[in-house]
Amino acid sequence: MNNFLRKVPLFADLPEEDLNRLCEMVERVHLPAGQVLFEEGSLGDKAYVIESGEIEVIKISAGQPILLDLRRSGDVIGEIALLEDTPRTATLRALSDSTLLAINQEQFDHLTNSSPTAARALYNIVLARYRNMTASMRQRDKMAQLGTLTAGVAHELNNPAAAVKRGAGQLLEALESFAAAQTAIARLSLDAHQQARLEETAAEARAAAGKPLDYLDPLARSDREYELESWLEERDVPDAWDLAPTLAELRYDVEGLAAFAGQLAADQVPVAIRWLGAVYTVYNLLAEVGQGASRISEIVKSLKSYAYLDQAPVQEVDIHEGLDSTLVILRHKLGRIKVRREYAAGLPKIQGYGSELNQVWTNLIDNAADALENTAAPEITLRTVVEDAWVIVEIQDNGPGIPPEIQARVFDAFFTTKPPGKGTGMGLDISYKIVAQKHRGHV
């Protein structure tokens, strides 16, 4: 064991006496292939030196295990948790049958305190490992965020796209009914006054199309539909059950429908009412298709604005536009959360990296949404103000807040209070660097 440890940089310059004492105290651990040495998030009480075999370093990101590195004979592992007195930052698992030398906290502290060479070697190991892990996790975090945003946009596009498809299909059938109703109306030989009244009614139907029936509660609406259906059946109007809901949406009651019918002969009433229902149905479906298409256009526009497609890396950035685009992208996650926007009037544009600032808004709003999972009346407030030469953006939630004892660490890479697999601990670190380093601002 002495000869093996002497070849490891961490122990290379230890006095012979200290090395011999260390060899007597270390514990040899045998790890079969596939067995986990320790889990991410667990408490660290030992460091290890791999004597033989291969150990996988795995990080859980977005619920998926990510292989960060592969450690072999002579590598030191698990030392960061001992140095910082923090939980394990990754899971270690044996790729092949492995043998490790376990060093407990007391031995490890004595080693780093008594040997400047060992301390320097350990510093170099940790620094290189930190850089590699940070670079890997940054890339992975960006890809995970891209996947989340893509899934969110797909979710947002699905509903309006389905509405457009459904409305277009129903519109074909509605146009056939409208054409038949129009032909039947033409055969009635209406006078000029009656024709003018029908034109006014068609305009009213067009104005009402696509607007919610919010002036009646469900019970009152049901009663209204029943009264209209009874009135239509008394006058032998075909499909009264189908026409009654349409007339209720047009805000007709029995008195209003009687006034409309009073301008027509008895045999003209069924034809005119069926025509009115056909007109409204066509306009309503057109409004539904138009609203769905507008919603799709809004989402695509917000996505282009969010990503700053086809624009130079540095440009004039509209902070309000970026915040609004981010809200659209994250709408699937903000479903039950009330979002308040308290924007300063005339907020000046700034020179910056628009897509990267949107990444900051995404990280902050996403964190706020996560913090509100168990809040009864969740609310997020977006606030902008101008103070001297600064544009200030505040993102506030009414969740439980950040405990004082961890506030100093929230911008540390890999530090997260979320369970393993849900958070990588990179969001605020990335946000800080974008604001403080790339834009010379403050967080």
Side-chain angles (χ1 to χ4, degrees):
M1 186 184 298
N2 293 54
N3 292 335
F4 169 73
L5 289 179
R6 186 63 76 185
K7 296 176 183 178
V8 177
L10 187 60
F11 311 103
D13 294 326
L14 271 183
E16 193 68 27
E17 181 182 349
D18 289 345
L19 185 63
N20 290 335
R21 186 167 64 252
L22 182 64
C23 290
E24 293 173 359
M25 299 176 68
V26 296
E27 175 188 357
R28 192 175 254 116
V29 177
H30 298 284
L31 207 62
Q35 184 170 325
V36 172
L37 178 62
F38 53 73
E39 297 274 3
E40 178 181 352
S42 63
L43 295 178
D45 59 352
K46 293 179 181 178
Y48 300 87
V49 182
I50 303 174
E51 189 173 22
S52 64
E54 294 179 316
I55 303 292
E56 296 176 311
V57 181
I58 298 167
K59 184 88 173 170
I60 303 298
S61 177
Q64 299 296 321
I66 308 301
L67 179 63
L68 293 181
D69 203 353
L70 190 63
R71 305 286 167 74
R72 298 178 174 85
S73 178
D75 285 343
V76 180
I77 55 178
E79 75 290 344
I80 294 179
L82 296 189
L83 287 171
E84 297 187 339
D85 191 24
T86 57
R88 303 290 191 183
T89 57
T91 296
L92 267 65
R93 182 177 63 195
L95 180 63
S96 61
D97 290 346
S98 305
T99 301
L100 303 95
L101 304 177
I103 305 172
N104 63 34
Q105 181 79 63
E106 182 181 351
Q107 296 163 346
F108 190 81
D109 289 344
H110 176 74
L111 173 67
T112 54
N113 292 331
S114 63
S115 173
T117 304
R120 186 164 53 251
L122 185 62
Y123 170 79
N124 291 332
I125 290 170
V126 172
L127 183 61
R129 194 165 293 166
Y130 176 81
R131 286 173 175 169
N132 290 338
M133 183 179 291
T134 300
S136 176
M137 289 307 298
R138 279 183 187 280
Q139 185 63 28
R140 176 63 191 178
D141 194 69
K142 288 181 180 179
M143 295 304 295
Q145 187 180 64
L146 178 60
T148 300
L149 293 177
T150 301
V153 170
H155 176 82
E156 286 295 305
L157 286 172
N158 183 62
N159 289 337
V164 170
K165 182 179 180 181
R166 181 180 62 250
Q170 293 174 344
L171 191 56
L172 290 174
E173 183 179 343
L175 284 172
E176 292 178 1
S177 299
F178 173 73
Q182 193 73 19
T183 301
I185 281 288
R187 293 175 180 159
L188 293 181
S189 301
L190 301 174
D191 60 35
H193 176 73
Q194 290 173 323
Q195 289 180 354
R197 180 65 188 114
L198 288 184
E199 289 175 2
E200 291 176 6
T201 304
E204 293 169 358
R206 180 174 185 176
K211 295 181 180 178
L213 186 64
D214 53 4
Y215 71 103
L216 291 176
D217 61 59
L219 184 60
R221 175 173 176 169
S222 178
D223 292 341
R224 174 75 60 85
E225 290 175 3
Y226 177 76
E227 292 170 358
L228 290 169
E229 183 179 345
S230 300
W231 189 93
L232 294 172
E233 287 175 345
E234 290 173 1
R235 286 150 185 81
D236 298 323
V237 178
D239 300 324
W241 61 272
D242 190 34
L243 288 170
T246 300
L247 294 171
E249 289 181 17
L250 279 167
R251 290 168 167 72
Y252 275 102
D253 55 15
V254 170
E255 290 75 16
L257 194 57
F260 170 75
Q263 304 173 66
L264 303 166
D267 61 336
Q268 294 175 332
V269 171
V271 176
I273 290 178
R274 287 180 62 81
W275 168 85
L276 176 58
V279 168
Y280 177 73
T281 299
V282 167
Y283 281 137
N284 201 44
L285 288 172
L286 283 172
E288 183 178 324
V289 170
Q291 289 169 357
S294 297
R295 181 78 186 104
I296 292 172
S297 177
E298 175 194 350
I299 294 170
V300 171
K301 180 181 178 183
S302 295
L303 183 60
K304 290 179 68 176
S305 172
Y306 179 87
Y308 281 78
L309 296 176
D310 304 322
Q311 296 188 38
V314 178
Q315 64 273 309
E316 279 197 336
V317 177
D318 185 328
I319 297 294
H320 292 166
E321 186 178 281
L323 289 169
D324 289 342
S325 297
T326 303
L327 290 176
V328 172
I329 299 300
L330 292 177
R331 185 175 292 165
H332 66 287
K333 189 168 184 176
L334 301 173
R336 72 183 190 93
I337 299 174
K338 179 181 179 180
V339 178
R340 297 165 55 90
R341 285 178 281 194
E342 300 177 2
Y343 291 168
L347 192 76
K349 294 182 179 181
I350 67 168
Q351 290 288 324
Y353 299 86
S355 60
E356 296 196 27
L357 284 175
N358 285 346
Q359 189 178 0
V360 174
W361 315 143
T362 301
N363 287 333
L364 296 179
I365 295 173
D366 186 65
N367 277 354
D370 285 340
L372 295 173
E373 283 186 355
N374 299 317
T375 302
E379 184 175 297
I380 293 175
T381 301
L382 309 183
R383 187 179 298 108
T384 61
V385 296
V386 178
E387 189 174 294
D388 298 328
W390 295 91
V391 169
I392 299 175
V393 180
E394 296 179 0
I395 297 175
Q396 175 184 335
D397 66 72
N398 64 336
I402 304 173
E405 61 270 17
I406 66 169
Q407 288 179 9
R409 301 197 59 202
V410 295
F411 294 110
D412 291 354
F414 307 117
F415 177 78
T416 179
T417 57
K418 299 175 185 177
K422 189 169 184 180
T424 62
M426 296 300 294
L428 290 181
D429 173 62
I430 291 172
S431 299
Y432 181 86
K433 286 179 170 61
I434 290 173
V435 174
Q437 296 178 9
K438 300 203 73 169
H439 292 86
R440 299 185 301 279
H442 300 290
V443 182

